[in-house]
Amino acid sequence: MTPIRLDKFISERTEYSRSQIKQLAVRKMITVDGQVIKSTDLKIDPETVKVTVSGKEIRAERYRYILLNKPSGYVCSTSEHDGETVMNLVPPEMRTKGMFPAGRLDKDSLGALLLTDDGELAHRMLSPRHHISKIYIVKLDRPFQNKYIDLFRNSLQLADGEVCMPACVRGCEISEKLAFVQLFEGKYHQIKRMFSAVGNHVEVLMRVSLGSLILPEKLGFGECMELLHKDVENLFVAPDFDDFCRRFFGVFSANLINK
Ligand code: URA
C-alpha cells in the first residue's frame, strides 16, 4: 500500500476529524507499532504497521462492514429526526463517517443488517438488478398453510396490485405458526404484505440471512460484529433455501417462539 499520512489514515477509518486526531496525539492516545506518536503528519504504510487509537487497533482496510442483529424499536436511518436509529447501536470505535445501513428492516423487525461505508457495495446490494437473497423467519398470527408455497412461488399479487418476484416459503415442524421466507427483492413492508395477501398476519419478523451471510447464533439482539472484506465478497451468492431450512429452523425458531 502506498504510504499515507497518519491523520488521513485514521480520519478515513473512524469518526474522528483531523483536529480531534491532533488532540488525541497530544493526549498520547495514538500509537504506531507500540510507540506513542506526537506528530500526526508522519507517513505510514498501513499494511506493515499497527496503529492504535485509545488502545483500539485501526485496521488497514479502507471500508468497514458491520453486521448488526437489529432489535425492535430502531429505525434503519442515519438521521436522528427519524427516531432512535440503528447507528446508535454501533460502538464508536466501529463507526466511520460515511457509515450507513445497507438495506432496510422495519422499525419493529429484527435481525441481520449490514452497516458499511462502502457505497459501491451498498449500491450493488440495493440495486434491483442484483436480486440479493434475504431469508427471514416469521411468527404468524394463524397457522402456516402449505398452499402458501405455490402462491409465493407464482408471483403473488399484493392488495394494491403490485406483483412480487417468485419467493420461497416453508412452514416449520416445531411450530405451526413459524415459517421461513426467501426473497430476492425488497418492496416496502414486503413480507407483511405478502402474508396479508394470503389471509394471514405477521406478528414478528426476523432476517436471518443476507446474501451468503448467516446471522451468527452468538450475536445477541443489539450486538454488532465486524466483518472482513472476504466475508462480504460472496454476498451475492444465494444459499440453497431447503438446505438452509433443514439446518437452521431449530436455531432461529428459538428466537421467535417466545416473542
Ligand atoms: N418485509 C417486511 O415486511 N418488513 C421487513 O422489515 C422486511 C421485509
Side-chain angles (χ1 to χ4, degrees):
M1 205 179 252
T2 37
I4 172 172
R5 268 177 64 133
L6 182 62
D7 51 2
K8 183 169 192 297
F9 170 76
I10 298 172
S11 84
E12 281 178 352
R13 289 158 180 79
T14 65
E15 281 203 307
Y16 297 120
S17 64
R18 298 251 183 137
S19 60
Q20 286 171 322
I21 292 164
K22 255 202 177 94
Q23 286 306 310
L24 287 164
V26 170
R27 284 161 44 212
K28 302 188 174 154
M29 311 280 274
I30 302 180
T31 68
V32 173
D33 280 343
Q35 302 289 320
V36 173
I37 292 302
K38 292 201 191 99
S39 156
T40 55
D41 57 6
L42 93 149
K43 287 204 165 175
I44 56 151
D45 177 350
E47 274 179 359
T48 59
V49 295
K50 179 176 159 184
V51 176
T52 70
V53 176
S54 309
K56 301 257 165 37
E57 182 169 355
I58 308 295
R59 297 222 310 243
E61 286 91 17
R62 174 65 184 84
Y63 297 117
R64 294 194 94 162
Y65 306 95
I66 307 292
L67 181 63
L68 167 71
N69 186 357
K70 180 190 172 299
S72 178
Y74 290 81
V75 285
C76 291
S77 166
T78 50
S79 166
E80 296 295 335
H81 297 299
D82 297 329
E84 176 125 56
T85 79
V86 289
M87 301 312 295
N88 297 338
L89 296 165
V90 183
E93 68 276 7
M94 282 190 177
R95 253 183 262 152
T96 58
K97 289 181 202 85
M99 189 174 277
F100 63 101
R104 270 178 182 274
L105 283 172
D106 298 336
K107 187 173 177 183
D108 60 353
S109 295
L110 314 165
L113 184 72
L114 184 72
L115 300 130
T116 186
D117 49 8
D118 181 346
E120 196 191 314
L121 178 93
H123 177 74
R124 277 200 291 142
M125 277 176 67
L126 303 177
S127 147
R129 280 194 305 129
H130 281 102
H131 307 311
I132 190 164
S133 155
K134 283 161 273 185
I135 301 181
Y136 303 81
I137 184 164
V138 291
K139 185 172 176 184
L140 300 168
D141 179 38
R142 286 182 281 282
F144 179 84
Q145 295 184 39
N146 281 329
K147 69 175 185 189
Y148 299 164
I149 297 174
D150 277 344
L151 289 168
F152 276 43
R153 191 167 34 216
N154 294 319
S155 308
L156 184 72
Q157 188 166 23
L158 304 176
D160 64 355
E162 209 175 344
V163 175
C164 298
M165 280 177 60
C168 305
V169 65
R170 295 281 175 279
C172 170
E173 301 102 52
I174 300 165
S175 162
E176 57 179 4
K177 292 189 179 172
L178 292 183
F180 268 136
V181 184
Q182 184 179 38
L183 297 186
F184 295 91
E185 60 179 342
K187 298 186 195 303
Y188 180 67
H189 291 333
Q190 182 162 349
I191 295 195
K192 292 173 184 161
R193 289 159 72 209
M194 287 175 92
F195 278 102
S196 161
V198 297
N200 211 319
H201 173 76
V202 172
E203 286 187 338
V204 189
L205 185 155
M206 178 178 182
R207 184 153 68 195
V208 293
S209 162
L210 183 58
S212 56
L213 293 174
I214 296 167
L215 193 67
E217 243 184 289
K218 63 172 195 312
L219 197 67
F221 289 117
E223 289 179 359
C224 292
M225 63 183 274
E226 177 126 32
L227 302 173
L228 301 174
H229 195 267
K230 66 178 167 59
D231 297 325
V232 291
E233 265 165 15
N234 292 325
L235 210 53
F236 296 89
V237 180
D240 178 82
F241 185 61
D242 288 323
D243 180 51
F244 187 94
C245 294
R246 264 192 304 276
R247 287 172 54 204
F248 294 107
F249 254 144
V251 174
F252 291 120
S253 54
N255 282 292
L256 293 211
I257 247 157
N258 300 316
K259 284 251 173 219

